[in-house]
Amino acid sequence: MSTSETTRADESRLTGENVTESIRDLPPSAKLVAKVLEYNDTLTQSQIAEESLLPDRTVRYALNRLDDEGLVDSRFSFSDARKRLYSLDLE
């Protein structure tokens, strides 16, 4: 299996062709953040940065790109209103 086929197989695991098409043209950082959110239901921005080993600024950019595509859902944290919780919105 070639690298591009492996990438497509990983992307299609993200539940369906429509999501795959949306994610395919995104930068690698957004793909990584989506994958981290797929494996961890809900995380804060700092938790995503810790899990993905990406800088905070890159995570912020990736979340904005995913939000532009309608693939991420965010809400305020009840335990700390200064933080937002992010999860994938694959519907």
Side-chain angles (χ1 to χ4, degrees):
M1 189 178 270
S2 72
T3 305
S4 62
E5 290 173 346
T6 303
T7 303
R8 287 188 195 124
D10 288 343
E11 288 173 354
S12 66
R13 254 187 40 206
L14 223 73
T15 70
E17 286 299 315
N18 57 347
V19 173
T20 302
E21 291 301 318
S22 298
I23 289 177
R24 187 175 314 242
D25 295 330
L26 292 176
S29 59
K31 292 176 184 176
L32 178 57
V33 168
K35 192 55 81 173
V36 167
L37 287 172
E38 179 184 16
Y39 289 116
N40 303 286
D41 292 329
T42 304
L43 296 173
T44 63
Q45 181 181 322
S46 59
Q47 289 170 324
I48 295 169
E50 186 176 311
E51 287 288 321
S52 65
L53 302 176
L54 292 171
D56 288 336
R57 183 176 177 179
T58 304
V59 170
R60 216 171 18 255
Y61 172 75
L63 287 169
N64 284 332
R65 292 295 304 265
L66 288 167
D67 188 41
D68 290 345
E69 295 294 324
L71 297 173
V72 72
D73 182 42
S74 66
R75 66 183 197 286
F76 288 104
S77 170
F78 290 118
S79 61
D80 186 351
R82 296 171 296 173
K83 295 182 180 179
R84 296 187 68 78
L85 296 172
Y86 297 92
S87 60
L88 279 182
D89 183 17
L90 300 175
E91 297 166 10

